[in-house]
Amino acid sequence: MLTSLAFIFLLGLLLGSIFIKLKLPALLGMILTGIILQYFHLLDRSILDISASLRQIALVIILTRAGLSLNIDDLKKVGRPAILMCFIPATLEIIGTILIAPKFFNITIIEAAILGSVLAAVSPAVIVPRMIKLIEIKKGTNKSIPQLIMAGASVDDVFVIVLFTSFLNFEKGGNFSFIKLLQVPIAITTGILIGYIVSIILIKFFKAFHMRDSIKIVIVLSISFLLLELEKYLGSFIPFSALISIMSIGIGILKNYEPLAKRLSQKFSKLWVGAEILLFVLVGATVNIKYAISSGILALIFIALVLCFRMFGVFLCLIGSNLNKKEKLFTMLAYTPKATVQAAIGGIPLALNLNCGVLVLTVAVLSILITAPFGAIAIDNTYKKFLN
């Protein structure tokens, strides 16, 4: 395992730095690292067995950092679009998939819905670090554009995963129930509430007992891991989103103890250096080259078409807002990257031996390879021109 970790970090850093010099995002080099290591069987089986958990740790780090940078007062200025961004783009992308996929791939409507729900999640791992950077350099913050994108991306994932579970249950012979859709707002509400309560408790604890900020980081991370476990136990009783709760802890600390939030945010930024490499290299390791090659040009055209549905959904959310044309276009481009959720759930239909399993995995992997770098490049190369 230690040898595999050495390969992951050293090669990930090397290829990441090469891609930066080529004016491309480092994450593309990290994904390529995972593909190379997996192809040449340089990753120990033990690493692959805990890959999902390691990717989840990286996601916890970036969502906590996001919460520590997300000022709710700024988000309130955006108003209605902030809520619509959580649901409308993903819904339109799923609808687009249902309309197009059966004609492209000769699959059923429910199989297309499963494919759409896998594709529809946006990637916090790509978006959040860039939005935090924009907040720090005060680009677009006069209209709370980074906050809008960052918050929407986090809730978007919860919404899509609930839909994916519902469609999967229907395909396996169960029933699709709209009652399950009601779990989405409940999961978000309970997640926010529990996270905020935890933040208040942590603030009082940190004020009562003096300790180094590094120890506070360990405590916050440990509680976040416990919340992820709590979600498994609460799931059968009451909908609860641990990821929303984790983000809410950071938001609560920022709102009630800003000096501490800024110090912790700096610490989490340093942690993210290693976590980012781990996340995207392991995402790359999930890529099956044979599946990707066999899908051909048709899958690439399909991904481009459904992305248009997503971007149109973002446009609809921003109608009536105070954003100008360039700011709207930036938001539409910034809401395209996919990575973490697709890597996490893209292989589930195949593992369940569903007829659409190979197709879902193939398109999920290709969507990561195409949209993650596309979205990252679009953000990095347009914010200076499009945002004030």
Side-chain angles (χ1 to χ4, degrees), residues 69-78 82 131-132 134-135 139-153 247:
S69 305
L70 188 58
N71 192 315
I72 293 298
D73 293 332
D74 290 338
L75 197 58
K76 286 178 182 177
K77 298 175 186 176
V78 183
M131 294 306 109
I132 291 174
L134 296 184
I135 291 172
K139 275 285 187 179
T141 51
N142 59 323
K143 296 182 182 178
S144 303
I145 295 171
Q147 293 90 332
L148 165 69
I149 296 170
M150 195 158 59
M247 197 169 178

Side-chain angles (χ1 to χ4, degrees), residues 298-324:
L298 197 63
L300 302 180
I301 296 171
F302 166 74
I303 291 168
L305 289 174
V306 295
L307 270 184
C308 293
F309 277 82
R310 165 172 282 276
M311 293 173 72
F312 180 64
V314 175
F315 174 77
L316 291 179
C317 296
L318 300 177
I319 291 176
S321 69
N322 63 344
L323 273 63
N324 60 40

Side-chain angles (χ1 to χ4, degrees), residues 152-195:
S154 303
V155 179
D156 171 284
D157 286 358
V158 178
F159 174 60
V160 167
I161 289 171
V162 171
L163 286 178
F164 171 73
T165 305
S166 301
F167 293 139
L168 208 58
N169 182 55
F170 185 84
E171 177 66 10
K172 289 188 296 182
N175 296 311
F176 178 79
S177 172
F178 282 99
I179 294 176
K180 289 187 177 181
L181 296 184
L182 295 176
Q183 293 178 358
V184 177
I186 297 173
I188 293 169
T189 303
T190 54
I192 292 172
L193 184 62
I194 291 174

